[in-house]
Amino acid sequence: VPVAVPTLEAAAPLVEGNNRFAWSLYDALNEAPGNVFVSPASVSEAFALLYPGAAGDTATQMAGVFGFDAVPAAAFAGTQNTLNSAVTADTDTAKLTVANAVWLREGSALQAPYRQAVEDIMKAKVALVDFTQPVAAAKLINDWVEDHTNTHIKDLIPADAISPDLTELILTNAVWFKADWQSPFKAEATFDGAFHAPGGEITAKLMTQT
């Protein structure tokens, strides 16, 4: 477990790995018809919670997909936290928060180094949950998600997605972002214009600026 806090410069190789994964995910999802709205960062964040406890072929495959091996394993947790701290913001004009949680089956035991990496260094919530009570377990997790997305995401996990006999672990990542435009549109500049929709041209309220 690292003691020193990595610098943002030291985290640059991990950023490159995150970006490569993001583009590969977009490429894979682009094969399906329709629009795509996805957060590659959230997928990376979730698997990053597992990586400090992974070993052997599992660790190798995760590192290959997400680029986690771009930094030494002993520095990974600290580097991941450094990246999260770098992107968060809390000002009058911009707010961005990142929150992670590990939900484990009640009765599970975590090795001390792993728990320290995830909870103390990566600042993720670690909680034991009674998965034999799916409704109560889903509510516990969904309340956390709702709280960390400013109430915008509700009922993320349905109770029937939790198996009382099989579910051992649930990982959640929440990103909340709200900011003013650097160059906001002027309401008085709104005009009626032609919008080319799939079914033909329609008239819509449009805004433009240079």
Side-chain angles (χ1 to χ4, degrees), residues 138-139 141-143 145-146 151-159:
K139 184 180 187 308
I141 297 172
N142 288 334
D143 285 349
V145 172
E146 186 174 339
T151 73
H152 281 273
I153 297 180
K154 302 178 180 180
D155 302 322
L156 175 69
I157 298 178

Side-chain angles (χ1 to χ4, degrees), residues 1 7 9 27 41-42 51 61 64 73 75 79 84 108 119 130 157 164 167-168 174 186 190 194 208:
V1 176
T7 64
E9 287 182 352
D27 285 343
S42 291
Y51 189 63
Q61 291 193 30
T79 305
N84 283 345
S108 301
E119 196 169 32
D130 184 3
I157 298 178
T167 301
E168 295 290 337
K186 293 180 174 60
T190 305
T208 184

Side-chain angles (χ1 to χ4, degrees), residues 75-98:
F76 176 79
T79 305
Q80 187 72 18
N81 183 61
T82 297
L83 287 180
N84 283 345
S85 299
V87 300
T88 56
D90 188 5
T91 68
D92 292 338
T93 58
K95 296 183 185 298
L96 192 153
T97 62
V98 178

Side-chain angles (χ1 to χ4, degrees), residues 31-47:
E31 296 177 1
N35 296 322
V36 174
F37 185 87
V38 65
S39 170
S42 291
V43 180
S44 292
E45 287 274 358
F47 278 90

Side-chain angles (χ1 to χ4, degrees), residues 185-187 189-196 202-208:
F185 286 112
K186 293 180 174 60
T190 305
F191 63 95
D192 290 332
F195 183 84
H196 303 282
I202 61 174
T203 300
K205 299 289 185 182
L206 304 178
M207 297 179 289
T208 184

